[in-house]
Amino acid sequence: MSRKKKEFGQKEIISVYRFMEMCGLKCPWKENILISHEIMEKKLSLRHDKFPTKVLMPRRVSFKKIKTDMIYRGDAFLVRDDYDQILPYVLPLKREIIEEVDHETMEERRNEILAQTVVINSQMPLGYQKYLWRKLKEQLEKERKELEKQKQESVAEEALIVTEKRNRYERLRSRNII
């Protein structure tokens, strides 16, 4: 146990709950339930059977097979359960192969993207952009004032309704009906 703590710092160790969330299973922490590695694996396998595309099934590996670089790259994870036991896991990540492109096609793609951004930026002069900004700001201010006015009118209507009921109550009270 001391070898693990010396070789791997506390920053590299994650909790069981965080690891299950990384695998695709959100499990909230509960004070009266302690989750061990076996319980976590059982929960993940049951959920993986129902939703194989959404939940990843981790694979436990030994400390001898992992290196510090694997942990820093995110290929392996050190997981601490609620009983303070630390075990390493590897997630079977689906990696997609990226097509190999030579420098000429990369440069062509880059130039196309730059040309599109230049066209978009050069179509609208700065003065016109400022004009549109002021116009939009004025329109938003006008809409805000209208909303406030409607809100005040609705409050005034509610006040009228309340006073009518109050007056009716006072009339009934004066007749000694209530």
Side-chain angles (χ1 to χ4, degrees), residues 12 28 31 48 50 101 104 115-116 131 143 149 164:
E12 291 82 25
E31 193 171 323
H48 180 73
K50 291 183 181 179
V101 181
E104 294 173 1
Q116 290 174 357
Y131 164 74
E143 289 176 4
K149 186 177 178 182
E164 286 176 7

Side-chain angles (χ1 to χ4, degrees), residues 50-154:
K50 291 183 181 179
F51 305 102
T53 58
K54 302 220 179 203
V55 178
L56 298 174
M57 190 62 202
R59 185 172 42 97
R60 192 185 296 187
V61 293
S62 68
F63 277 101
K64 294 176 184 176
K65 291 186 179 180
I66 62 170
K67 298 177 183 173
T68 55
D69 293 344
M70 291 175 68
I71 293 174
Y72 292 136
R73 282 192 314 246
D75 295 336
F77 299 96
L78 294 177
V79 181
R80 173 181 287 148
D81 65 354
D82 289 337
Y83 297 99
D84 286 335
Q85 184 181 10
I86 300 171
L87 292 177
Y89 287 94
V90 175
L91 282 177
L93 299 176
K94 297 177 182 176
R95 298 184 182 185
E96 296 180 15
I97 299 173
I98 300 174
E99 61 177 303
E100 292 187 24
V101 181
D102 59 341
H103 290 289
E104 294 173 1
T105 55
M106 290 277 283
E107 188 174 346
E108 290 173 7
R109 289 181 185 173
R110 189 179 310 113
N111 289 335
E112 287 175 12
I113 293 170
L114 287 173
Q116 290 174 357
T117 57
V118 168
V119 168
I120 291 171
N121 292 338
S122 66
Q123 287 177 351
M124 193 180 302
L126 183 62
Y128 188 66
Q129 289 177 359
K130 287 181 182 178
Y131 164 74
L132 290 176
W133 175 255
R134 280 185 303 222
K135 191 174 180 180
L136 179 65
K137 193 174 177 183
E138 290 172 1
Q139 184 180 1
L140 289 173
E141 186 68 27
K142 186 178 177 182
E143 289 176 4
R144 187 183 61 78
K145 286 181 181 179
E146 283 182 26
L147 286 174
E148 286 179 7
K149 186 177 178 182
Q150 289 175 356
K151 192 183 278 187
Q152 289 175 354
E153 289 174 357
S154 65

Side-chain angles (χ1 to χ4, degrees), residues 1 4-5 10 13 16 34-37 79-87:
M1 188 81 168
K4 294 177 224 171
K5 288 185 179 176
Q10 295 297 321
I13 300 171
V16 175
L34 298 177
I35 294 184
S36 65
H37 289 281
V79 181
R80 173 181 287 148
D81 65 354
D82 289 337
Y83 297 99
D84 286 335
Q85 184 181 10
I86 300 171
L87 292 177

Side-chain angles (χ1 to χ4, degrees), residues 32-49:
N32 58 347
I33 298 174
L34 298 177
I35 294 184
S36 65
H37 289 281
E38 290 78 24
I39 294 172
M40 176 194 70
E41 289 173 359
K42 193 174 200 178
K43 281 185 171 197
L44 285 172
S45 68
L46 290 172
R47 188 58 67 150
H48 180 73
D49 292 342

